[in-house]
Amino acid sequence: MEENKTLLEVKDLKVSFYTPAGEVKAVNGISYSLGYNEVMGIVGESGSGKSVEAYSIIGLLQSPGKVIGGSITFEGENVLEYDAEKMRQFRGNKVSMIFQNPMTCLNPVYTIGNQLIEALMCHDKGYTKEQARARAIEMLELVGINNAEKRIDQYPHEFSGGMRQRAMIAMALICEPKLLIADEPTTALDVTIQAQILELMKDLQKKENTSIIFITHNLGVVAEICDRVSVMYAGHIVEQGPVNDIFYHPQHPYTKGLLASTPRLDEDSKERLVPIEGTPIDLLNPPKGCNFGPRCKDCMKICLREKPPFCEVGEGHISACWLHYKESKGDAAHE
Amino acid sequence: MNEQKVLLEIENLRKYFPVKGEKLFQKKYVQAVESVSFSIFRGETLGLVGESGCGKTTLGRTIIRLYEPTSGRIVYDGTPIYDSEQKISVDMLPYRRKMQIIFQDPSASLDPRMTVGEIVGEALDIHKLCTNKTERRERINTLLDEVGLNTEHANRFPHEFSGGQQQRVGIARALAVEPEFIVCDEPISALDVSIQSQVVNMLEDLQVEKHLTYLFIAHDISVVRHISNRIGVMYLGQMVELAESYELCSHPVHPYTQSLLSAVPIPDPDVTRARQRILLEGDIPSPLNPPTGCRFHTRCPYATERCRQEQPKLKEQSPGHFAACHLLDG
């Protein structure tokens, strides 16, 4: 199939927020590529820049945020050079997004159907009103909403949390986008509903062949749905690789720390959790060297002086840490 | 394991909240907690899990009487502190020294206009635990030290702290009166992943050091399983299953617990992908008019006619393992 072709390529993307207190480098030079039909997970804590990065792909970055460098290439075109009209055509049509809180993202004064049909009509797909309505009903059925013909005329407040998220997914997929960005789509939901939504997304991904960027802080969700994972910390990708490598052979101390500090439902013994000490860094005054350096157990002198480069630690598996550098080049800490 | 001495006994506890009905003067009730009975042993951690709206927070608050119970009986260390039948309702102030609570949202539960020292010290003043200012200051400093904050933090305001640190202040405040029993109401769900484990470890250490008893409420079952000795599962205001935590996670008997556990994602790609999920249909019904019979029957894949009619009771299925389900009667 088209597995190996690249759908989206992000290169050295830099996004800054110009706040009264100073420049916050929310995303500081991240690169990755996403193939057709691939699910990429982006994991990180709050403030690591994972949402900002997604917002800049879809052109929803709000002032005072600004893309200050790098490129985002979608099917060969640089998205950052799009003007407003082109961006509008691109957004929703080729790339769409589902957000964390479905209630704040649905318009409370329009019916669900109205909002679904609007998405279709905006993108001029040559539907008549009746066809658009039929398509909207079809979409609602696809995402597992029973009684779609009746439900389509209801307002968001008549839907439960899980149903609203289903409606959001229907809306995002109605124009058959090639890429779906899911920004913590299950965080606001209960585990049983989360399980329903995850099953639905896995199902739809197979049916519609959509690529997905799945942003979350829940490692369990990532393990379940993603093919590849990028771990972000303080505006940088620190480790990236196939999902099995990340979970079974994590290389970066931060990834290892995250995995060790997450309690698991299926562990046999009640081992003590190994926390990552310290607190996330203040992005207004980032450290000079590795951003994770101040919290790292294996911090060396060079870590506090210079940013670590990416090292290939496995097939398609990269990690930004001086430790690997030391291992591969002997003692190169003198630099 | 523990010497099984009962610290807190709850019998048929109910908490209804009145809401406006559809007609004028019509009153309806949200049945947030409906006939819950269980005991908490001294020195243990009892975990309480369930979906949002199942009444776990209400139960936690009703036990320490931050909410006045609608009916039922609460016995603390042999003394009834509330009994609707015998009309007992004691003055809670002396018991506040023994029962404390840590809230979910640390920034909302700290007064923004008080310094951390004042917040922690307020409890000392109310219960008159310090005779002079030096003693008070020293006590506050020890408390802050115990939760991993610096003594100079006492003069700062809550907004100057990160979420994890704010939660530590909340814990220091709860510890100030040297309580025996603490209700931890989702103490870590507002925190970042890497901070969560720090707080969990600290709570565990404090428990050993100060011989505390916890009622640990959370929706994240992995965390509850990690910290608890026993776990209670709630659904729509009722306790559906209660067992030792390993037993509950490895041999859940109630259909709701089974599906709840199968829904929890496990951070291990092979395990989680190979797992068979029991997906529940639909959503949690409204506690305004809960279903008749077993409250779970609308979503239960095994529901029978009896489940629709008759409410199951929480029964001991095997030693120490309680569950409320008709199917288990055999």
Side-chain angles (χ1 to χ4, degrees):
Chain A
M1 261 178 66
E2 307 180 280
E3 288 271 334
N4 295 321
K5 271 175 71 186
T6 317
L7 173 70
L8 176 83
E9 184 151 29
V10 176
K11 252 195 195 149
D12 203 29
L13 182 73
K14 286 183 180 166
V15 183
S16 282
F17 284 79
Y18 294 93
T19 64
E23 182 187 353
V24 177
K25 291 178 179 158
V27 173
N28 198 355
I30 66 168
S31 308
Y32 62 88
S33 61
L34 181 76
Y36 284 91
N37 215 352
E38 189 178 30
V39 184
M40 157 88 105
I42 298 185
V43 206
E45 294 174 71
S46 42
S48 60
K50 54 194 195 302
S51 294
V52 170
E53 174 268 319
Y55 277 55
S56 44
I57 295 174
I58 198 167
L60 287 179
L61 209 59
Q62 294 205 336
S63 169
K66 222 178 150 190
V67 178
I68 54 164
S71 68
I72 300 172
T73 318
F74 186 88
E75 294 195 308
E77 287 184 57
N78 190 349
V79 176
L80 294 175
E81 285 163 7
Y82 281 177
D83 58 18
E85 176 54 29
K86 227 169 162 200
M87 196 70 215
R88 199 177 68 76
Q89 282 306 324
F90 170 72
R91 193 190 299 139
N93 212 354
K94 293 199 173 138
V95 179
S96 60
M97 189 154 179
I98 16 180
F99 300 89
Q100 178 171 357
N101 190 342
M103 192 61 211
T104 51
C105 298
L106 292 166
N107 191 333
V109 299
Y110 287 105
T111 61
I112 294 289
N114 211 319
Q115 299 181 53
L116 279 167
I117 293 165
E118 184 190 12
L120 265 185
M121 300 312 253
C122 272
H123 291 291
D124 225 6
K125 296 251 173 188
Y127 282 103
T128 63
K129 266 194 180 157
E130 288 72 33
Q131 283 170 329
R133 190 180 157 87
R135 168 90 181 124
I137 291 173
E138 189 191 314
M139 274 320 284
L140 286 179
E141 275 164 1
L142 184 69
V143 296
I145 290 180
N146 297 328
N147 227 336
E149 268 170 64
K150 204 182 110 209
R151 286 290 194 169
I152 193 168
D153 293 318
Q154 289 187 331
Y155 289 89
H157 74 263
E158 296 171 88
F159 278 49
S160 66
M163 299 261 277
R164 281 181 210 137
Q165 198 57 283
R166 282 169 195 266
M168 281 287 299
I169 294 173
M171 199 179 298
L173 294 180
I174 199 162
C175 290
E176 297 172 331
K178 295 204 169 112
L179 171 63
L180 178 68
I181 301 173
D183 185 6
E184 307 242 10
T186 58
T187 309
L189 306 173
D190 277 315
V191 271
T192 54
I193 312 291
Q194 166 172 291
Q196 290 175 3
I197 298 288
L198 285 179
E199 291 294 325
L200 173 72
M201 288 185 71
K202 277 200 279 190
D203 233 37
L204 289 177
Q205 200 260 339
K206 273 190 210 116
K207 264 189 225 160
E208 312 266 315
N209 291 333
T210 321
S211 300
I212 300 179
I213 294 181
F214 201 101
I215 300 168
T216 181
H217 63 258
N218 188 330
L219 288 168
V221 173
V222 171
E224 182 156 344
I225 199 166
C226 300
D227 304 320
R228 276 201 306 145
V229 185
S230 297
V231 183
M232 281 188 77
Y233 184 78
H236 291 274
I237 288 178
V238 293
E239 185 166 2
Q240 188 176 66
V243 66
N244 283 355
D245 286 1
I246 296 284
F247 280 92
Y248 299 132
H249 310 287
Q251 296 296 325
H252 197 279
Y254 178 65
T255 318
K256 285 183 190 165
L258 270 189
L259 285 166
S261 66
T262 313
R264 284 174 54 158
L265 194 61
D266 61 338
E267 66 191 347
D268 290 327
S269 57
K270 276 182 83 166
E271 274 173 43
R272 205 175 147 76
L273 298 176
V274 188
I276 303 175
E277 296 300 335
T279 49
I281 59 161
D282 178 10
L283 280 172
L284 273 171
N285 310 298
K288 204 169 139 220
C290 172
N291 277 343
F292 187 60
R295 294 177 76 183
C296 186
K297 271 189 295 196
D298 307 310
C299 185
M300 301 176 290
K301 271 183 194 159
I302 189 166
C303 302
L304 298 175
R305 278 203 316 270
E306 273 174 77
K307 298 253 181 265
F310 272 114
C311 293
E312 188 149 1
V313 287
E315 206 190 328
H317 184 181
I318 51 171
S319 168
C321 182
W322 283 114
L323 286 172
H324 317 315
Y325 201 76
K326 201 175 154 190
E327 278 156 21
S328 60
K329 302 249 162 88
D331 192 0
H334 58 268
E335 258 290 287
Chain B
M1 251 175 71
N2 299 305
E3 359 77 269
Q4 304 270 296
K5 264 177 81 186
V6 175
L7 178 69
L8 197 70
E9 213 180 325
I10 288 123
E11 273 171 43
N12 288 324
L13 193 69
R14 279 197 178 90
K15 176 65 197 171
Y16 290 1
F17 292 105
V19 286
K20 247 193 217 161
E22 279 144 22
K23 292 179 203 135
L24 188 67
F25 301 125
Q26 184 196 19
K27 247 192 192 168
K28 276 184 152 182
Y29 292 93
V30 173
Q31 307 180 3
V33 175
E34 170 67 37
S35 296
V36 172
S37 309
F38 63 97
S39 320
I40 300 175
F41 300 117
R42 197 177 270 280
E44 78 165 345
T45 302
L46 179 71
L48 212 51
V49 293
E51 293 175 88
S52 49
C54 72
K56 50 193 194 305
T57 296
T58 311
L59 178 60
R61 293 189 178 187
T62 314
I63 288 173
I64 57 167
R65 287 186 62 202
L66 282 182
Y67 291 147
E68 201 52 31
T70 307
S71 70
R73 187 174 142 92
I74 306 170
V75 182
Y76 184 84
D77 212 3
T79 336
I81 55 172
Y82 179 85
D83 192 326
S84 58
E85 272 169 30
Q86 293 175 35
K87 302 242 170 2
I88 299 173
S89 170
V90 297
D91 173 27
M92 282 304 285
L93 187 64
Y95 288 96
R96 297 267 179 254
R97 263 206 72 182
K98 298 182 177 160
M99 309 157 98
Q100 280 291 323
I101 183 165
I102 302 166
F103 295 97
Q104 173 170 13
D105 186 347
S107 59
S109 63
L110 303 175
D111 189 331
R113 296 199 287 185
M114 286 163 87
T115 63
V116 164
E118 285 166 355
I119 290 172
V120 176
E122 195 181 16
L124 300 175
D125 300 340
I126 290 171
H127 293 280
K128 303 192 180 61
L129 296 180
C130 295
T131 42
N132 58 50
K133 275 193 176 163
T134 348
E135 196 190 331
R136 182 173 181 272
R137 197 170 54 234
E138 270 168 20
R139 180 88 189 104
I140 292 171
N141 288 349
T142 340
L143 282 164
L144 291 180
D145 189 53
E146 276 173 353
V147 296
L149 295 171
N150 296 333
T151 46
E152 71 240 37
H153 285 149
N155 297 322
R156 294 202 202 156
F157 287 93
H159 74 261
E160 296 173 72
F161 293 92
S162 68
Q165 287 174 315
Q166 287 178 346
Q167 196 55 282
R168 286 168 194 265
V169 175
I171 294 170
R173 174 177 60 185
L175 291 175
V177 294
E178 296 169 327
E180 296 173 314
F181 173 66
I182 299 182
V183 175
C184 307
D185 185 6
E186 308 240 10
I188 54 160
S189 33
L191 307 177
D192 261 323
V193 199
S194 70
I195 309 295
Q196 284 189 354
S197 45
Q198 294 176 3
V199 175
V200 167
N201 280 353
M202 192 180 72
L203 285 171
E204 286 180 333
D205 291 344
L206 287 169
Q207 177 168 40
V208 174
E209 218 174 279
K210 298 180 180 287
H211 312 290
L212 296 169
T213 306
Y214 290 142
L215 176 67
F216 194 93
I217 302 168
H219 61 260
D220 186 342
I221 303 162
S222 323
V223 174
V224 172
R225 177 183 162 191
H226 178 82
I227 199 168
S228 308
N229 304 107
R230 291 191 302 150
I231 299 179
V233 182
M234 284 188 75
Y235 183 77
L236 216 56
Q238 290 181 323
M239 185 81 81
V240 296
E241 189 162 359
L242 175 70
E244 200 260 314
S245 75
Y246 182 75
E247 166 77 10
L248 185 101
C249 292
S250 49
H251 305 106
V253 294
H254 195 281
Y256 177 66
T257 317
Q258 289 170 353
S259 69
L260 190 69
L261 288 171
S262 82
V264 178
I266 294 173
D268 187 326
D270 289 346
V271 174
T272 196
R273 281 169 204 218
R275 216 157 46 131
Q276 202 62 43
R277 275 228 168 107
I278 311 167
L279 278 187
L280 286 182
E281 295 283 314
D283 291 297
I284 195 163
S286 158
L288 262 176
N289 18 356
T292 54
C294 173
R295 291 192 166 188
F296 184 57
H297 85 251
T298 52
R299 295 171 80 192
C300 182
Y302 317 109
T304 62
E305 197 47 45
R306 189 176 169 206
C307 304
R308 283 176 205 108
Q309 311 274 336
E310 195 186 326
Q311 211 170 85
K313 287 204 175 64
L314 197 66
K315 277 187 225 152
E316 193 157 13
Q317 308 292 343
S318 56
H321 193 147
F322 298 84
C325 183
H326 289 313
L327 296 164
L328 300 167
D329 292 352

